[in-house]
Amino acid sequence: MNQKLLKLENLLRFHTLCRQLHSVGQRRALAQWRHGFSSAYPVWAAQLYARPLQIDMLIGAALSQYRLLVTKKEERPWKSQLSSTKSKKEIEVWIGMTVEELARAMEKNTDFVYEALLNTAIDIDSLEADSHLDEVWIKEVIKKAGMKLKWSKLKKDKVRENKDAVRRPQADPALLTPRSPVVTIMGHVDHGKTTLLDKLRKTQVAAMEAGGITQHIGAFLVSLPSGEKITFLDTPGHAAFSAMRARGAQVTDIVILVVAADDGVMKQTVESIQHAKDAQVPIVLAINKCDKAEADPEKVKKELLAYDVVCEDCGGDVQAVHVSALTGDNLMALAEATIALAEMLELKADRTGPVEGTVIESFTDKGRGPVTTAIIQRGTLRKGSVLVAGKSWAKVRLIFDENGKTISEAYPSMPVGIIGWRDLPSAGDEILEVESEPRAREVVDWRKYMQEQEKSKEDLKVIEEKRKEHQEAHRKVREKYGSLHWKERSFKEYLERKEGKPLKPKEKIERDSNTFPVIIKGDVDGSVETLLNIMDTYDASHECELELVHFGVGDISENDVNLAETFSGVIYGFNVNASNVIQQSAAKKGVKIKLHKIIYRLIEDLQEELSSRLPCTVEEHPVGEASILATFSITEGKKKLPVAGCRVQKGQLEKQRKFKLIRNGHVIWKGLLTSLKHHKDDVSVIKTGMDCGLSLDEEKIEFKVGDQIICYEEKQVLAKTSWDPGF
């Protein structure tokens, strides 16, 4: 209250001083008018020089009061800023909210969020209305909107809640029951892995069903005369084994290492040993091809000592069995050795509770949809169970064994085929049973969300690295222009590209089809400058020249349309408008106007337009392949024409298509056939396995036995510009 009275008093004093000063000025002017033409000079002079002291005093007092008032008023903006800060709109936000949720909370549209995130490290192209935003981007949008944010703990915790499904804790030992061992056969190529698997599989089929055909599902079960069972994984390659180990899926209990007795330890043998050690899986050594005369099993055992594989004969704990996969000798002994090792390992599993397992392989069947082969590791699988594996889920419709026979239940260590998947899971994915379909969808959605989060983080790192590279390269290019204004700099760059030739917009210029003229219009200088900076990174002039005809700030005008018509260019507008009159005029003149509100969409459009102006590439797609088995010649009139006797190895030969002759990996001729015969009949198509005779449209070409004839078709493929703007 005292401050307000003091202000009022100062204001009244200032007003009084101003009135006094004004009256003095009026009296002085009146005296000058009355005595300006009078001869009474001393009176006028006395009045004129009697006032300055009084005026100076009044002016000084007025200035003093003015300074005091100004000083008091200067505090007002600061106080008003505080009050405006306090009156900022407060927005309730939470971690992981989507673009649409943020826009709704701010009472804005989604375009506002996109525009607020322009020129930041985030990839605008990947943002959709349902995309989740990190904390830093939420803060950035709120800051640019001039609002305050308030974190909502409830929603923050809700978004961050883990919805994933996980394996159960270890079971009570009292609930565990013995199970069959799961065995993987590994070794070097051509050492007999496939033959050994086939022999074991055929033996099992013959024992179960005479004449039955085994439907291979990636794993199979072998029953021994003693009643014991072994599950063999049909994954002789290392890729599936490595993939499962990388995902932490320890499916295999025992590895049978196959080594040829006549070949010894090879590269893939060493890799197999390393895989087994990394997975901490015991090894049974199968020395194969012992029926050969040059076989030397003892040499194999000695070579394995260098890799810490010590057989029982040498004082170690690795069982070694001499077998012949070709004749089937000692295969039962190998199986018994595996069972003995399994008994030592005391393999047990819990048959109760939800199912846990691992996908061995997956494929799509035309009649049954997505199908997976799985090994059950815990629980009992039944029809109707709801399973989750990776980012897919299933309600089990059918369970079948390796022979294609439908079964009602599957226990631990059993290899089964499962039908009912919504999508195809990957080999090595962990299978978990959940209580319901909604719960399965929840788990899959969570996993997809986590994958998107990881991908976003990786993309941000790549974008940031590219942005830094672009900035550094751009800085070096711009150094030669010094401190010029960006408009002058852009104009000089344009003149350099045009070799100093001025534009002639009124003249119709014939332009090369390999040139793409563009006109850029933006809402503000900063937008236009950003677009020009991005266009400066264009480095694909050898494909299509990008020519900047004109740039400016403001809505699209008739002059822009005329320029675009003259140069056969395209107008790009960023956050600007084009009236109906302008659009109609552009349509009549055949000018494209492309308006965008997101800068990345504009650049994408520019890339597509550049790609459309590139010539299509021609790709050759083989239709058939034939090998030349014999050469001979026939007489037509006075000419002898060379003819090639061929057999089609792949596909088919079609006379109307193009052909090429390949010798020692090199193409020595391309063209058409003059004749294509099967025996003595002219034909237009020769299929796989059939013999034919053919002659070329070039008589000078000589055939040689062993040459290849390729029939192919040419297809045009749309090209894509190599320009990468860096985001």
Side-chain angles (χ1 to χ4, degrees), residues 573-591:
F574 177 70
N575 273 341
V576 295
N577 297 318
S579 64
N580 292 333
V581 176
I582 296 297
Q583 290 184 2
Q584 291 172 5
S585 174
K588 288 180 182 178
K589 297 177 180 179
V591 173

Side-chain angles (χ1 to χ4, degrees), residues 37 159 241 250 331 559:
F37 303 98
V159 172
F241 191 85
Q250 301 294 347
L331 289 188
N559 182 49

Side-chain angles (χ1 to χ4, degrees), residues 660-678:
K660 56 184 175 182
L661 179 64
I662 298 177
R663 181 175 299 157
N664 298 325
H666 300 286
V667 178
I668 61 174
W669 168 85
K670 280 187 176 183
L672 301 173
L673 301 183
T674 55
S675 67
L676 179 64
K677 294 189 177 184
H678 180 60

Side-chain angles (χ1 to χ4, degrees), residues 350-645:
D350 178 14
R351 292 193 177 193
T352 62
V355 172
E356 296 176 5
T358 301
V359 176
I360 302 302
E361 66 180 23
S362 57
F363 58 93
T364 300
D365 187 275
K366 288 184 179 179
R368 298 180 293 183
V371 181
T372 63
T373 302
I375 296 291
I376 306 303
Q377 295 170 298
R378 188 176 180 183
T380 301
L381 180 65
R382 297 180 176 87
K383 183 179 178 181
S385 299
V386 179
L387 307 178
V388 173
K391 291 179 287 298
S392 58
W393 67 278
K395 184 173 182 180
V396 180
R397 291 190 286 110
L398 186 67
I399 309 170
F400 58 92
D401 61 13
E402 72 273 12
N403 299 309
K405 183 180 178 182
T406 303
I407 56 178
S408 58
E409 295 181 336
Y411 302 104
S413 294
M414 284 185 66
V416 292
I418 302 173
I419 297 176
W421 294 95
R422 298 301 189 269
D423 298 301
L424 204 61
S426 303
D429 281 348
E430 183 181 62
I431 295 176
L432 297 174
E433 183 179 357
V434 294
E435 55 270 20
S436 63
E437 293 183 29
R439 171 63 179 147
R441 294 189 188 96
E442 186 179 55
V443 172
V444 171
D445 290 343
W446 169 261
R447 292 179 177 181
K448 289 179 179 179
Y449 166 71
M450 293 304 296
Q451 185 185 38
E452 290 173 1
Q453 293 295 102
E454 292 296 324
K455 184 178 181 299
S456 298
K457 291 178 182 178
E458 293 174 3
D459 290 346
L460 285 177
K461 289 180 182 179
V462 174
I463 290 170
E464 184 63 22
E465 290 175 1
K466 288 187 176 182
R467 187 183 64 80
K468 288 179 180 178
E469 291 176 4
H470 166 63
Q471 286 180 342
E472 181 62 23
H474 190 63
R475 183 187 61 79
K476 291 179 180 179
V477 172
R478 290 294 184 92
E479 281 179 353
K480 62 180 180 179
Y481 295 109
S483 59
L484 290 177
H485 188 266
W486 69 269
K487 289 185 177 179
E488 297 176 0
R489 181 174 64 245
S490 300
F491 184 67
K492 285 194 174 185
E493 289 174 354
Y494 168 71
L495 289 180
E496 284 184 2
R497 289 194 297 270
K498 293 299 295 177
E499 298 177 352
K501 296 179 181 178
L503 295 175
K504 299 179 180 179
K506 293 183 180 180
E507 298 179 8
K508 188 71 177 178
I509 302 173
E510 293 185 3
R511 313 204 63 79
D512 185 4
S513 60
N514 202 33
T515 301
F516 179 37
V518 296
I519 294 172
I520 301 293
K521 295 298 289 288
D523 54 347
V524 293
D525 277 357
S527 301
V528 179
E529 183 180 11
T530 301
L531 288 169
L532 295 181
N533 289 342
I534 295 173
M535 291 176 65
D536 282 345
T537 66
Y538 185 71
D539 55 0
S541 297
H542 59 286
E543 298 173 347
C544 179
E545 184 181 351
L546 180 61
E547 182 178 13
L548 180 64
V549 174
H550 172 67
F551 61 87
V553 176
D555 290 341
I556 295 170
S557 64
E558 188 66 30
N559 182 49
D560 299 325
V561 175
N562 293 334
L563 277 173
E565 181 192 15
T566 302
F567 291 94
S568 301
V570 176
I571 302 173
Y572 284 94
F574 177 70
N575 273 341
V576 295
N577 297 318
S579 64
N580 292 333
V581 176
I582 296 297
Q583 290 184 2
Q584 291 172 5
S585 174
K588 288 180 182 178
K589 297 177 180 179
V591 173
K592 290 182 182 179
I593 297 178
K594 299 192 175 186
L595 305 177
H596 293 273
K597 289 189 175 181
I598 300 175
I599 197 167
Y600 301 102
R601 306 291 186 200
L602 189 150
I603 299 302
E604 273 185 358
D605 195 323
L606 186 61
Q607 285 179 294
E608 291 175 3
E609 194 71 34
L610 285 164
S611 299
S612 68
R613 293 172 180 258
L614 301 181
C616 295
T617 57
V618 178
E619 291 184 356
E620 296 180 357
H621 293 269
V623 176
E625 179 181 332
S627 57
I628 297 178
L629 305 179
T631 61
F632 50 93
S633 59
I634 59 173
T635 303
E636 285 190 1
K638 295 182 179 180
K639 293 183 180 180
K640 285 189 175 183
L641 300 177
V643 176

Side-chain angles (χ1 to χ4, degrees), residues 198-214 220-229 332 402-403 405:
D198 289 343
K199 183 66 69 174
L200 287 167
R201 190 182 295 114
K202 288 176 182 177
T203 302
Q204 181 64 13
V205 170
M208 290 180 60
E209 182 181 346
I213 300 174
T214 301
F220 60 95
L221 204 63
V222 171
S223 297
L224 302 181
S226 60
E228 301 285 350
K229 295 181 179 180
M332 285 299 105
E402 72 273 12
N403 299 309
K405 183 180 178 182

